[in-house]
Amino acid sequence: MEIFRLKLLHDAWLIFQKDIRQEFKTRYSLNAIFLFALVTLVAVSFSIGTFTASADIKSALLWIIIFFSAMSGLSHIFVREEEKHTADTLKLVAQPTGIFLGKFLFNLFLLFVLELIIVPLYFAVMNFEVSGVAVFISVLLLGSLGLSAGATMTAAIISKASAKGALFAVLSFPILLPVIVAGINGTKIAVKQVAFAEAGSELQMLFAYSVVVITAAILLFDFVWNE
C-alpha cells in the first residue's frame, strides 16, 4: 500500500512537471486566462466606475472575473492531450488517479498565478478594500481549491466532445455555482468583518465542497478517463 501511494504521488508530480514545461513553451492557457481577466477588469472598471459600485457588487464582480477567466483556460489541460494524441500514451505510463492529481495541481497552480496578479490589480483599479484580510485570503484559497477540482474533472469529461469550449462553460457553471456563491458571500463578510467566526459557514462550505469534489473525482476518474 505504501509503495502504491508513493507511485501515485510520483506519477502526479511527473505529470505536473510535464504540463508546466509544456505550458511555458506554448503559454496557451496562461495567455487565455490573463488576457480574458485583464480585458474583463478594464471593461468592468470603465462601465461601472470605481467609486459608484457598492462593496457587495465589487465582491461579486471579483468572483465573476475569476470564474470566467478560469473557464477560458483550465479546460485545455485535457483537451491538449486529445488534440496531440498523447492521451493513450498517458494511460499506459501513469495511473488514472495520478493523472487527475497532476492535472489538478497544474490547474490550481494556474489559478493561483492568475489571482496573484489579478486580485491586487482589481483592488487598485476598483478601489476595493477588505477589513478581514485573513478571512479574504482563506476564502480565496479554499475557493480556488474548489474551482480547480471541479474544473479539472469537467475538463476530463468534455475532452472527447466536439464542442469542447462551449460544453466546458455550460457544464462547469452548475457544478461550480456553490463555490461562486460561497466565495462572494465570504468576500462580502471579509469587507465588513475581521473575525473568522463571521465567515465560518462560508469557509466550512468551501472546505466541504473541495473535499467532496476531490474525493468523488478520485473515485470516478478511472471510469471517465478510460471511457
Side-chain angles (χ1 to χ4, degrees), residues 1-172:
M1 181 61 71
E2 187 65 27
I3 296 175
F4 176 78
R5 290 176 181 174
L6 290 175
K7 177 67 166 57
L8 195 66
L9 294 175
H10 181 68
D11 289 347
W13 179 246
L14 288 179
I15 290 169
F16 172 72
Q17 287 182 312
K18 174 188 76 70
D19 288 333
I20 287 289
R21 287 194 296 267
Q22 285 184 341
E23 183 57 37
F24 281 101
K25 286 180 181 178
T26 62
R27 294 183 178 88
Y28 177 88
S29 297
L30 282 172
N31 290 337
I33 288 174
F34 288 131
L35 284 175
F36 186 93
L38 287 173
V39 169
T40 308
L41 178 56
V42 171
V44 165
S45 64
F46 276 107
S47 61
I48 69 169
T50 58
F51 296 98
T52 56
S54 65
D56 289 351
I57 292 176
K58 291 178 181 179
S59 299
L61 287 173
L62 174 62
W63 279 95
I64 290 171
I65 291 173
I66 291 174
F67 171 76
F68 284 105
S69 300
M71 292 303 98
S72 67
L74 296 190
S75 65
H76 193 62
I77 196 69
F78 283 106
V79 173
R80 179 167 52 199
E81 303 291 351
E82 295 295 333
E83 290 177 345
K84 293 186 175 182
H85 306 289
T86 56
D88 291 334
T89 304
L90 203 58
K91 292 175 183 178
L92 295 174
V93 300
Q95 304 172 62
T97 304
I99 294 171
F100 169 78
L101 291 175
K103 301 291 188 182
F104 163 66
L105 288 175
F106 176 75
N107 274 347
L108 187 61
F109 170 78
L110 276 184
L111 201 52
F112 280 159
V113 172
L114 167 71
E115 292 167 351
L116 193 63
I117 297 172
I118 291 299
V119 171
L121 279 176
Y122 185 85
F123 274 57
V125 171
M126 299 298 295
N127 194 35
F128 187 53
E129 297 179 356
V130 294
S131 300
V133 177
V135 173
F136 175 74
I137 292 175
S138 300
V139 170
L140 194 63
L141 291 177
L142 289 174
S144 301
L145 197 66
L147 280 177
S148 300
T152 303
M153 190 61 181
T154 308
I157 294 172
I158 61 96
S159 61
K160 296 179 177 63
S162 56
K164 298 177 179 64
L167 267 180
F168 184 63
V170 169
L171 289 179
S172 295

